[in-house]
Amino acid sequence: MNEPLSYVDPGPDSPWRTYLAQVDRVLPYLGPLARWAETLRRPKRALVVDVPIELDDGRVAHFEGFRVQHNLSRGPGKGGVRYHPQVTLEEVMALAAWMSIKNAAVNLPFGGAKGGIRVDPKALSRKELERLTRRYTSEIGLVIGPQQDIPAPDVNTDAQVMAWMMDTYSMNVGATVTGVVTGKPIHLGGSLGRVKATGRGVFVTGREAARRIGLPLDGARVAVQGFGNVGSAAAELFVQAGAKVVAIQDHTGTVVNPAGFDFAALMPHVRAHGGVAGFPGGDAIDGESFWDVPCDVLIPAALEGQITAERARRIRARMVLEGANGPTLPAADDVLAERGILVVPDVICNAGGVTVSYFEWVQDFSSFFWTEDEINVRLDKILVGALKTIWDTAERHKISLRTATFAVACERILTAREVRGLYP
């Protein structure tokens, strides 16, 4: 009756396979709602588009574009758009599904969605990038909208890309629609606090988890993989709380300093050189040795599938805070649990970004904007409350925080599905 999806063939460690394994683990805790569980294994809508553009030299290039809406039972779709040469339909499906879980875990009135273009944006000029963004927005325009599906920035996309998307959608409908995307520039209806919101969420959930396991942040050693928007913002907040960042890995290299990095010198270096490689305030090591660095808090904030079972056996941390989406494979989850290393899962740990995206969406609808302090206070309150519910669920059922997050989120999603019923 319920055959596997015909249009994807997930490998053993692929993002979609990882997501399906996480759903399987939560089934025993769903009670009568488990009859609707197949809903979670199938995206509601998957759109694949051709994105042709004229390059600066006159040639025409074609790129694959995707927009997946995993589940819309609780509200319009919400999720980022990534530009990456390895983007696939299956990856976007998994990211959309994790957005469904994430939005429900923090009780936002959104479903899960995600988008992407299979492209290396660094190989395009600014004008080519604009043409790519505008064409992609036009191609997916039939499924997005402020009350249908609201894109946001993700890997290799930013406020400027969102501005182009907002303008293109607005031109197509004949009115300025600021609420069609979030993560926009401030003067186009963007929200204060949005840029650092995901990193702030990693810090807030990490702070609460550290308090619960008796780990003082003052003097705690932090290792960060991925030093983009999320990793760098989280690292700075941990340093402000008295922790020291002892290892950083990004796409340019890996540097360590057991005494802790001087952020006043590090951040200008990263801005000037595009990464941490060559920073004189630390020692360079090979990439694989990053996983052997002694630390208290490990923050994987790069791409999916980074913590394998083999790496999980080597990690020397008390706590893993998942800044990235899907960084830990299911087998690695089991290893970390056996070793007593707490994992604060992506679906709550990095939910700060979508929470402030929700604030931006609300502000756009009301044309009334909040101060950054108001936004940070509201963000803290939502994340602390969500983590408490998840922690209590984990303790009640004696399960991991990840399975507890899925239990809380899936109950909300499937309850909405059951109450709405099937149409027609």
Side-chain angles (χ1 to χ4, degrees):
M1 278 220 308
N2 292 319
E3 293 290 324
L5 298 174
S6 66
Y7 50 87
V8 288
D9 184 19
D13 292 334
S14 70
W16 185 246
R17 179 82 71 184
T18 297
Y19 165 75
L20 293 177
Q22 291 164 349
V23 169
D24 288 342
R25 292 184 180 200
V26 81
L27 294 181
Y29 309 101
L30 295 180
L33 290 171
R35 72 183 284 255
W36 294 97
E38 192 65 22
T39 304
L40 302 168
R41 298 191 183 97
R42 296 167 181 267
K44 175 181 176 63
R45 183 178 291 122
L47 179 64
V48 181
V49 296
D50 177 37
V51 188
I53 63 165
E54 185 174 332
L55 300 177
D56 293 341
D57 62 9
R59 289 179 298 142
V60 175
H62 291 254
F63 301 92
E64 285 181 55
F66 310 97
R67 187 70 186 175
V68 174
Q69 295 164 353
H70 172 258
N71 188 283
L72 305 182
S73 295
R74 302 182 70 252
K78 188 82 194 76
V81 175
R82 65 173 50 181
Y83 291 175
H84 196 277
Q86 265 79 58
V87 164
T88 63
L89 173 61
E90 185 197 321
E91 178 190 40
V92 175
M93 283 168 50
L95 293 166
W98 283 321
M99 286 303 302
S100 293
I101 303 300
K102 191 182 304 182
N103 286 321
V106 289
N107 216 10
L108 301 181
F110 291 135
K114 207 76 175 188
I117 304 177
R118 196 171 171 85
V119 61
D120 178 3
K122 298 181 184 67
L124 300 182
S125 70
R126 181 181 170 86
K127 295 303 292 183
E128 289 169 339
L129 196 63
E130 180 177 351
R131 288 195 287 272
L132 180 80
T133 300
R134 290 185 180 278
R135 181 65 190 229
Y136 169 72
T137 306
S138 293
E139 294 290 351
I140 67 167
L142 69 165
V143 300
I144 64 171
Q147 291 173 313
Q148 289 175 273
D149 181 1
I150 307 109
D154 197 72
V155 175
N156 292 329
T157 55
D158 57 13
Q160 178 60 72
V161 171
M162 294 303 109
W164 289 329
M165 291 190 76
M166 191 271 286
D167 181 68
T168 304
Y169 182 87
S170 297
M171 291 300 102
N172 285 338
V173 300
T176 298
V177 186
T178 55
V180 68
V181 296
T182 57
K184 301 179 296 295
I186 298 296
H187 46 272
L188 288 182
S191 177
L192 296 169
R194 173 63 185 87
V195 173
K196 294 191 174 182
T198 308
R200 175 174 286 279
V202 172
F203 169 73
V204 170
T205 53
R207 179 193 68 203
E208 293 302 302
R211 181 178 61 78
R212 286 173 177 269
I213 66 170
L215 171 62
L217 289 188
D218 194 21
R221 300 161 300 168
V222 180
V224 184
Q225 187 205 31
F227 209 62
N229 182 29
V230 178
S232 62
E236 285 193 275
L237 287 166
F238 272 103
V239 169
Q240 289 170 20
K244 57 184 182 180
V245 176
V246 297
I248 302 172
Q249 180 177 92
D250 68 8
H251 66 284
T252 65
T254 308
V255 290
V256 297
N257 183 341
F261 292 106
D262 175 7
F263 267 63
L266 174 66
M267 296 313 292
H269 173 90
V270 171
R271 284 191 288 271
H273 298 89
V276 299
F279 177 59
D283 298 321
I285 60 172
D286 71 275
E288 199 54 36
S289 298
F290 171 81
W291 305 101
D292 300 311
V293 174
C295 60
D296 300 297
V297 179
L298 172 65
I299 305 176
L303 292 171
E304 326 60 83
Q306 294 298 299
I307 302 182
T308 61
E310 189 272 330
R311 285 173 174 171
R313 293 185 188 96
R314 293 157 48 199
I315 287 172
R316 300 163 74 182
R318 288 184 62 186
M319 182 166 68
V320 175
L321 305 178
E322 294 188 336
N325 292 311
T328 309
L329 298 176
D333 250 347
D334 295 336
V335 172
L336 293 171
E338 288 164 13
R339 297 185 59 211
I341 298 173
L342 177 72
V343 178
V344 183
D346 51 358
V347 280
I348 179 62
C349 189
N350 70 22
V354 73
T355 303
V356 176
S357 275
Y358 166 61
F359 297 163
E360 180 177 334
W361 182 71
V362 168
Q363 291 169 88
D364 285 340
F365 268 119
S366 62
S367 297
F368 182 82
F369 292 85
W370 309 335
T371 66
E372 189 160 0
D373 283 346
E374 286 175 313
I375 284 160
N376 288 340
V377 167
R378 291 172 194 257
L379 173 62
D380 275 38
K381 187 174 181 181
I382 284 176
L383 291 182
V384 170
L387 187 64
K388 181 184 186 305
T389 299
I390 289 161
W391 200 285
D392 291 347
T393 302
E395 290 192 335
R396 187 166 68 252
H397 293 296
K398 303 290 187 288
I399 52 178
S400 71
L401 286 184
R402 188 185 315 281
T403 303
T405 307
F406 269 71
V408 170
C410 292
E411 180 179 355
R412 288 171 177 163
I413 293 167
L414 299 182
T415 298
R417 174 72 280 160
E418 183 169 68
V419 172
R420 286 181 65 158
L422 296 176
Y423 174 85

